[in-house]
Amino acid sequence: MELGLNETQQMLKNSAHEFLQAECPDTYVRAMENDGSGHATEIWDKVAAQGWIGLMFPEKYGGFGLSFLDLTILLEEMGRVMFPGPFFSTVIGGGLTLLIAGNEEQKQNYLPKLCEGQLIISLAVNEPDSYWDQQSIKTVAKKSGNKYIINGTKAFVDNAHISDYIIIAAKTNNKISLFIAPSKSEGINQNLHKTIGSDKKSELLINNLELSNDAIIGELNEGWNYIKKIQEYGAVGKCAEMSGGSQEVLDMTVEYAKQRIQFGRPIGSFQAIQHHCANMAIDVEGIKYLTHQASWNLSEGNDAKKEISIAKAWSSDAYQRVCALGQVVHGAIGYTKEHNMQMYTRRAKSAELAYGDSKYHLENIENIIGF
Amino acid sequence: MDFEFSKDDELFRQEVANFVDKELPWNWREDKIDSEDPKDRPKVTEFKKKLAKKGWLTMAWPKEYGGQAAPHIRQLIFNEEMSYRGIPAVDAGITQVGPIIMLFGTDEQKKYFLPKISNAEIDWTQGYSEPDAGSDLAGLQTRAIEDGDDFLVTGSKIWNGAHSGANWMFMLVRTDPDAPKHRGISFLVAEMKSEGITVEPIPMMWDHSRALITLENVRVPKKNLIGELNRGWYVGAALLDFERSGIGYASNASKLIKELVQYTKETTRNGKLLSEDPIIRNELATMAVEIETAKMMAYSVAWMQSKSDIPNKEASISKAFGSEMVVRLVNIGMKILGSHGELEPNSKDAPLRGIIEQLYMSSPASATAAGSSEIQRNIIATRGLGLPRG
Ligand SMILES: Cc1cc2nc3c(=O)[nH]c(=O)nc-3n(C[C@H](O)[C@H](O)[C@H](O)COP(=O)(O)OP(=O)(O)OC[C@H]3O[C@@H](n4cnc5c(N)ncnc54)[C@H](O)[C@@H]3O)c2cc1C
């Protein structure tokens, strides 16, 4: 058993921390909340130059060949600073989907460019009435000669508004297949949702979108198997962001409790405040180890369904508890737009919803424990 | 990172499990064996002797004292398997008095006590708490006055276990009332048969008793002083490097939850299987998450120890979360049992042999014992997070 970081991971963590400290100050995060695109291309290019987009992709596709566990360490640091933009959605929703599902030609086609930061790819699975459930997907791909005609509505598609391609899960007969389409295709219309986490998610109105046979990623009718695998990575990736975010909320709350003076002494000397902070530390500790355990198992190729659902169920709720207590300790100032505390609080909710909320993962666990 | 145990460690786990399942002639958990109940004591001692023969009882001890200097991870596995089966395998002699004597004892003390401890011949009772000194242990007032070759000890100790079977007590006593409170305490051991000691059982709300031990001018020979005079606080605090992860909470709970899930699959209420109730399913799934969390917290403490790091906030996190997690599981368990939850262990139809009913009363007390949850949170906040003391 070894629960610590290895040398590469420690270096990655340190350099990510340094880079993000310099390139992603809170002023940038705040500015991007109201920015139409949600990120700055100069920073995206710098991130690509660091090799981070390709971090876990094989070298033959232009990546660095590191593991998903290594990516987890990077995502923790990104979560710490609420790094805005399409990194997560492109790497996991786009790149990993292609890596897991794509045929060789598709991988060669998309992955090297994606690793270089030339392509932003989004994944469209859920719908207004469908949440990680194969049966309720209504978007349909109808075969017509050597083409497919796609119709339906997708919801909560991360960063679709700035994407080059969108991967769409659609019904083929009674199964699901994945299709890749240029985002600007005729037949795709987008509406940007306004979200609690100020991230950029869109509704896609797909109307007679015409795609050729070779737009199918991997095998026809195998889409849902791919999605289930991608969801595993996505859930753990979100846990990693939550792990970093919750650690930052704890750190800044403790710092504030040491400095804020009321009744002639730091509020951190009051036991009620101390116990709030202790409870936050308990939750943060749980998020960290459960996340690492799930990520390690996934990286090792083990069946990690249990560890993943446990990590995501715990982290989703625990991060929100941590933020709620962080707000309490900060008092009124923490609720102001100007303060970072509330930015974490809002993102904690959106992180819960991504890749299966706690209710969803608890239902998985019900099966795993024998119900 | 590596979240798996090594092959050798897994083989060891298997060996422990096989041994226990073969050598334990009665069903420990089912029979509700209470290591501190005098009627069960011979069984407990008998089993401990078997563990001693295997070398497992003192596996954490250094080799020079007959131990195996077992790594923390081995100890963790051993403790995990034992608590899963509800077996109180190691006692205060093994984990506390023995190591203290190794570190601070004279040669004579080592020669006398260590073999007796490692052969499970001494039953210790811990005399730390007093009626007026609980969380504030350093406020203890039991007085020991030097008198020739002896100390004369007067005061009372409370909440001690093993009261009727214990033949020795280790205790903290005040030897210098004028010194600052941590600096006037000494560590003594005394035979329970000494004149002036009376033991009064304190029945607890569940099927269990603790003790009130009164000492009145009890003569304790000076050769029973362990470590230096007035350094007892530090003697008591300095223990050998034992596994202190708190794995017992998660390990115990993982057995309980299995039994509860099984129970819901076999029990109908108002014509419907309990396992089909979405609220019950959800609550037990939530507890499965908490159990895994408690397990990882405990593992992280053992792992830190295995690297010679000193866990401080981590151990408190594991204790506070683990003990409270068991309380939550038991509360949910009680709700699942419904009207049958009120049945005591020996009554007809008591579900799960009344274990849940007993734990409903005893598990909150575990959150108080050995440093209450509030004290753990104080430690997390001040020592762990660096918040200023109040
Ligand atoms: C089942 C059981 C077995 C035990 N076995 C032994 C044994 O074998 N030997 C032995 O010596 N002792 C034993 N104890 C005693 C145990 O160590 C004490 O109960 C414990 O330290 C708490 O002390 P107390 O009960 O006097 O509570 P108190 O210290 O009076 O505390 C009462 C309440 O006040 C809170 N409190 C106290 N101080 C603070 C503070 N600074 N900040 C915030 N809250 C505070 C506590 O958390 C608690 O909620 C046992 C106790 C139990 C329940």
Side-chain angles (χ1 to χ4, degrees):
Chain A
M1 194 162 50
E2 169 57 55
L3 307 186
L5 306 187
N6 65 24
E7 219 173 296
T8 321
Q9 287 158 351
Q10 193 58 53
M11 273 169 50
L12 179 64
K13 183 182 166 76
N14 295 346
S15 66
H17 187 77
E18 241 169 72
F19 176 90
L20 292 166
Q21 220 64 35
E23 302 291 341
C24 181
D26 52 359
T27 46
Y28 172 66
V29 179
R30 197 166 275 108
M32 289 307 111
E33 289 201 338
N34 302 313
D35 179 85
S37 85
H39 82 139
T41 46
E42 310 91 76
I43 293 185
W44 182 248
D45 292 342
K46 285 188 192 169
V47 166
Q50 294 283 326
W52 289 346
I53 301 175
L55 190 84
M56 69 153 296
F57 295 108
E59 287 165 66
K60 66 172 171 176
Y61 303 126
F64 254 73
L66 295 185
S67 69
F68 180 71
L69 185 57
D70 301 322
L71 180 69
T72 300
I73 304 301
L74 177 58
L75 288 171
E76 281 180 336
E77 292 307 313
M78 291 184 164
R80 226 182 211 283
V81 298
M82 306 178 277
F83 185 60
F87 183 87
F88 194 103
S89 61
T90 290
V91 169
I92 291 181
L96 250 178
T97 304
L98 283 155
L99 186 70
I100 288 170
N103 59 37
E104 190 56 33
E105 196 187 329
Q106 289 165 333
K107 289 181 200 172
Q108 294 287 359
N109 247 341
Y110 297 102
L111 287 178
K113 282 191 211 136
L114 181 137
C115 291
E116 278 173 30
Q118 305 292 322
L119 284 184
I120 291 174
I121 304 184
S122 298
L123 176 65
V125 178
N126 292 328
E127 302 185 354
D129 187 24
S130 156
Y131 184 71
W132 300 108
D133 172 46
Q134 150 168 239
Q135 301 313 324
S136 55
I137 287 183
K138 293 202 187 88
T139 299
V140 180
K142 229 187 178 162
K143 192 148 174 81
S144 147
N146 53 5
K147 281 192 177 146
Y148 281 90
I149 314 279
I150 304 186
N151 279 290
T153 304
K154 291 290 173 186
F156 308 109
V157 185
D158 289 312
N159 297 302
H161 69 307
I162 50 167
S163 65
D164 301 288
Y165 290 92
I166 301 176
I167 297 170
I168 299 164
K171 270 213 155 93
T172 41
N173 308 315
N174 254 333
K175 293 278 173 57
I176 300 291
S177 302
L178 301 185
F179 294 85
I180 187 161
S183 310
K184 306 268 149 17
S185 305
E186 211 178 305
I188 301 182
N189 280 303
Q190 298 196 14
N191 296 312
L192 211 52
H193 297 294
K194 276 186 93 66
T195 62
I196 190 167
S198 299
D199 49 358
K200 310 295 171 191
K201 295 188 176 108
S202 297
E203 177 190 48
L204 303 185
L205 303 169
I206 306 172
N207 188 13
N208 290 329
L209 170 67
E210 272 190 34
L211 294 173
S212 65
N213 268 342
D214 52 15
I216 295 175
I217 300 184
E219 301 286 322
L220 182 74
N221 294 335
E222 281 298 307
W224 199 253
N225 290 331
Y226 304 141
I227 292 292
K228 281 205 305 217
K229 199 70 213 165
I230 291 147
Q231 192 190 7
E232 291 188 355
Y233 288 99
V236 179
K238 278 293 153 188
C239 289
E241 287 187 347
M242 293 193 271
S243 174
S246 63
Q247 183 67 55
E248 179 63 24
V249 169
L250 172 61
D251 292 350
M252 72 192 232
T253 302
V254 167
E255 206 39 51
Y256 185 73
K258 286 180 189 167
Q259 266 149 35
R260 172 73 175 165
I261 309 282
Q262 286 294 287
F263 300 97
R265 52 190 182 125
I267 56 168
S269 66
F270 298 125
Q271 201 170 55
I273 298 293
Q274 293 187 345
H275 286 198
H276 286 333
C277 292
N279 285 328
M280 293 166 76
I282 290 171
D283 276 334
V284 170
E285 189 87 347
I287 298 175
K288 178 172 82 179
Y289 284 111
L290 292 175
T291 299
H292 287 177
Q293 175 177 242
S295 177
W296 179 83
N297 274 289
L298 203 47
S299 282
E300 291 292 301
N302 299 338
D303 178 2
K305 286 190 193 63
K306 176 180 172 201
E307 287 79 6
I308 292 166
S309 279
I310 284 180
K312 186 62 169 58
W314 173 266
S315 304
S316 295
D317 290 346
Y319 189 17
Q320 291 177 67
R321 287 194 295 266
V322 168
C323 287
L325 288 176
Q327 295 282 178
V328 169
V329 174
H330 278 88
I333 193 79
Y335 295 102
T336 60
K337 273 255 194 275
E338 196 185 58
H339 202 280
N340 290 357
M341 189 57 240
Q342 53 83 20
M343 293 209 286
Y344 287 94
T345 298
R346 290 185 287 111
R347 280 164 181 76
K349 186 66 205 179
S350 62
E352 182 206 345
L353 302 177
Y355 291 93
D357 57 9
S358 45
K359 178 173 178 292
Y360 173 93
H361 285 286
L362 284 173
E363 278 170 17
N364 286 349
I365 295 162
E366 288 176 13
N367 296 328
I368 292 165
I369 63 174
F371 282 116
Chain B
M1 280 180 226
D2 184 354
F3 281 79
E4 261 163 16
F5 294 99
S6 72
K7 281 229 162 58
D8 280 355
D9 286 342
E10 284 300 348
L11 282 175
F12 172 72
R13 184 193 291 281
Q14 204 49 55
E15 191 191 346
V16 172
N18 290 345
F19 178 82
V20 175
D21 294 340
K22 193 168 121 257
E23 293 292 328
L24 213 54
W26 60 88
N27 202 337
W28 201 290
R29 216 161 156 276
E30 267 75 292
D31 295 351
K32 232 178 55 58
I33 303 286
D34 180 347
S35 65
E36 289 173 359
D37 183 332
K39 82 175 178 346
D40 289 337
R41 181 149 291 275
K43 290 184 180 182
V44 177
T45 308
E46 181 196 327
F47 185 66
K48 274 187 190 156
K49 290 208 154 128
K50 285 185 185 172
L51 291 176
K53 246 173 119 182
K54 276 295 243 183
W56 287 339
L57 201 57
T58 54
M59 66 187 234
W61 286 18
K63 293 206 169 94
E64 54 175 314
Y65 299 114
Q68 302 175 3
H72 286 93
I73 301 299
R74 281 284 161 101
Q75 297 178 40
L76 173 78
I77 290 172
F78 182 75
N79 292 343
E80 197 171 16
E81 290 304 309
M82 292 297 156
S83 45
Y84 185 77
R85 292 166 178 77
I87 307 168
V90 282
D91 55 32
I94 299 294
T95 60
Q96 298 184 51
V97 189
I100 283 172
I101 289 175
M102 289 173 214
L103 288 174
F104 299 99
T106 62
D107 285 344
E108 194 193 342
Q109 289 169 339
K110 289 178 192 171
K111 233 181 261 151
Y112 183 80
F113 286 108
L114 294 182
K116 287 192 169 57
I117 293 174
S118 60
N119 293 327
E121 282 165 28
I122 297 185
D123 283 316
W124 294 96
T125 191
Q126 182 188 55
Y128 283 7
S129 303
E130 297 180 0
D132 289 329
S135 301
D136 183 15
L137 182 57
L140 60 90
Q141 293 302 334
T142 294
R143 192 71 173 89
I145 298 168
E146 292 187 57
D147 184 42
D149 287 341
D150 300 325
F151 290 102
L152 281 179
V153 184
T154 301
S156 21
K157 293 292 177 182
I158 196 168
W159 311 127
N160 327 78
H163 56 91
S164 352
N167 43 11
W168 282 83
M169 169 160 64
F170 61 103
M171 57 182 155
L172 293 175
V173 295
R174 186 148 306 278
T175 35
D176 183 355
D178 301 323
K181 66 180 182 178
H182 295 88
R183 306 252 170 98
I185 293 172
S186 299
F187 189 101
L188 290 183
V189 295
E191 280 197 88
M192 289 301 283
K193 63 177 190 211
S194 315
E195 211 168 306
I197 295 187
T198 49
V199 179
E200 209 180 305
I202 307 174
M204 304 298 271
M205 74 192 285
W206 69 103
D207 205 355
H208 182 76
S209 292
R210 304 307 290 176
L212 172 65
I213 299 178
T214 309
L215 303 105
E216 236 189 279
N217 284 321
V218 178
R219 260 185 200 284
V220 179
K222 280 188 174 164
K223 68 177 184 350
N224 288 7
L225 168 73
I226 314 278
E228 279 175 53
L229 191 71
N230 294 327
R231 299 289 296 166
W233 183 259
Y234 308 96
V235 171
L239 289 181
L240 268 192
D241 212 13
F242 264 100
E243 193 275 305
R244 304 196 172 282
S245 68
I247 188 62
Y249 304 115
S251 183
N252 239 324
S254 63
K255 175 91 177 177
L256 271 184
I257 196 172
K258 265 190 202 151
E259 295 179 313
L260 282 168
V261 170
Q262 193 54 35
Y263 177 81
T264 66
K265 298 206 291 196
E266 291 165 354
T267 311
T268 53
R269 192 156 303 143
N270 297 341
K272 214 175 109 192
L273 271 176
L274 289 176
S275 59
E276 284 161 16
D277 182 329
I279 294 177
I280 288 178
R281 293 163 66 104
N282 177 277
E283 288 190 324
L284 286 177
T286 305
M287 287 317 304
V289 172
E290 290 201 16
I291 293 168
E292 186 73 12
T293 309
K295 187 185 91 178
M296 286 318 301
M297 287 171 174
Y299 280 12
S300 80
V301 174
W303 167 72
M304 285 181 78
Q305 288 185 299
S306 75
K307 306 189 18 135
S308 308
D309 291 346
I310 296 164
N312 59 34
K313 93 168 178 309
E314 292 78 7
S316 290
I317 284 175
S318 182
K319 200 281 172 174
F321 183 79
S323 59
E324 293 170 4
M325 174 277 290
V326 175
V327 175
R328 286 191 286 272
L329 175 61
V330 168
N331 284 338
I332 288 168
M334 270 304 240
K335 283 192 196 165
I336 289 172
L337 303 186
S339 54
H340 287 62
E342 67 178 332
L343 296 176
E344 304 230 302
N346 296 323
S347 68
K348 184 175 164 292
D349 294 335
L352 305 181
R353 307 164 305 282
I355 289 178
I356 302 282
E357 189 255 2
Q358 288 291 300
L359 282 169
Y360 184 77
M361 295 178 278
S362 66
S363 61
S366 307
T368 297
S372 72
S373 286
E374 291 72 29
I375 296 298
Q376 303 302 338
R377 285 181 170 80
N378 293 348
I379 293 171
I380 296 166
T382 54
R383 252 191 269 161
L385 303 174
L387 289 169
R389 277 165 215 279

